[in-house]
Amino acid sequence: MKNIALILSYDGTNYNGWQVQRNGPSIQESMETALFRLLGQKVHVSGVGRTDSGVHARRYVANFKADCTIPVDRLPYAVNSFLPEDIAVSGAALVPDGFDARFDCTKKEYAYYIYPSTLRDPFHARYAYRYNYPLDLTRMQAGAQRFVGKQDFAAVRSQGTPVKSTVRTVFWCEVEPAGDLIRIRVCGDGFLYNMVRAIAGTLVYVGGGKLSPDDVTAVLRSGDREQAGPTLPAHGLFMNRLWYEHTPALAPFHLDA
């Protein structure tokens, strides 16, 4: 029995997130079905996180245990032949038996894309949130720095699965131009339900003048979700980068690049 990590990416538009759902298709279900067809074995695929319905991943890590005789370097090609076009495996590695894609990940970076325009662009429709009004990038950059550090993020989370604590550490929160888009990158040791989408919505309020950069600090201290900005739509969000510091076998795939 081998423990195998897979590096993949996916367009989440047609899926109800990563985790298997009763009410629609999921990435996990697609992965487990593909591996069953390939290996003739039922396997459980454990993912690095539960991305929501419609959220995308440029980089995602999952692992499974199976009696697999396919050479690891050929495994991505073999799995991809059973996957739909909007999910792709780009790498595989043998990992220690105790490795778990979720619990061994030391930090994650998400990216949220905003298209500030009064006109629609069909090439951004699935991957960026269109905002009709001008946004001040300098104000957004200043506001983003208020999210950095270890603090209580209750004000920027939606109600979902109960958690023991709403304290998290954000290592960086950056706002930058990306062509005709605005990209918000948030890296942390963990995230609350809808936290990044609420951070993005709060920064839109800052960029649009509804909040000042200093207001962000007051919002976080209040712990009041009503004082922060809206939860922006899922289609603008990407799982972007991952770090596995104690798993050298994954290093060739540049999870932090």
Side-chain angles (χ1 to χ4, degrees):
M1 189 76 73
K2 298 175 181 176
N3 193 9
I4 300 172
L6 297 176
I7 295 87
L8 58 141
S9 56
Y10 55 82
D11 178 335
T13 303
N14 298 321
Y15 299 92
N16 287 5
W18 163 262
Q19 190 165 350
V20 172
Q21 304 284 331
R22 293 181 180 179
N23 59 342
S26 69
I27 308 297
Q28 184 183 32
E29 179 184 21
S30 296
M31 293 299 301
E32 291 180 353
T33 298
L35 288 166
F36 175 75
R37 295 175 64 191
L38 175 64
L39 304 174
Q41 306 170 47
K42 285 188 176 182
V43 300
H44 171 72
V45 180
S46 177
V48 65
R50 294 176 58 178
T51 56
D52 294 330
S53 177
V55 174
H56 316 292
R58 280 205 172 83
R59 189 59 58 105
Y60 193 94
V61 172
N63 71 289
F64 68 96
K65 294 182 179 181
D67 293 318
C68 178
T69 59
I70 301 171
V72 174
D73 63 332
R74 302 303 303 171
L75 195 55
Y77 301 96
V79 178
N80 282 339
S81 65
F82 294 101
L83 286 171
E85 291 293 319
D86 48 8
I87 306 174
V89 174
S90 59
L94 290 175
V95 289
D97 188 62
F99 172 85
D100 183 275
R102 176 186 175 189
F103 296 109
D104 281 44
C105 183
T106 56
K107 58 184 179 181
K108 308 171 187 175
E109 181 189 84
Y110 284 90
Y112 195 94
Y113 290 84
I114 299 169
Y115 178 45
S117 175
T118 56
L119 294 174
R120 292 185 292 116
D121 184 328
F123 300 104
H124 292 324
R126 290 161 64 107
Y127 308 112
Y129 166 62
R130 184 171 64 87
Y131 189 71
N132 282 320
Y133 305 99
L135 289 170
D136 187 320
L137 197 65
T138 301
R139 285 173 58 91
M140 293 177 72
Q141 290 167 336
Q145 297 314 303
R146 274 46 172 204
F147 290 107
V148 176
K150 184 176 182 179
Q151 51 190 322
D152 191 331
F153 287 96
V156 284
R157 70 132 178 182
S158 299
Q159 292 299 319
T161 304
V163 294
K164 292 181 179 180
S165 172
T166 51
V167 173
R168 298 290 186 271
T169 299
V170 168
F171 300 110
W172 60 78
C173 184
E174 303 289 344
V175 182
E176 56 202 6
D180 56 352
L181 303 177
I182 293 173
R183 178 172 57 204
I184 300 169
R185 292 187 300 111
V186 187
C187 178
D189 60 357
F191 293 91
L192 302 167
Y193 183 45
N194 284 342
M195 177 173 157
V196 177
R197 290 162 59 188
I199 287 175
T202 303
L203 291 177
V204 164
Y205 269 17
V206 173
K210 295 182 179 180
L211 292 172
S212 72
D214 287 338
D215 286 337
V216 174
T217 300
V219 167
L220 289 174
R221 287 176 178 170
S222 76
D224 183 358
R225 181 69 189 87
E226 296 298 320
Q227 293 190 32
T231 300
L232 296 188
H235 68 273
L237 183 63
F238 290 73
M239 182 171 280
N240 204 42
R241 296 196 293 176
L242 301 166
W243 283 260
Y244 288 85
E245 295 178 0
H246 304 297
T247 311
L250 292 181
F253 299 104
H254 305 295
L255 299 182
D256 60 346

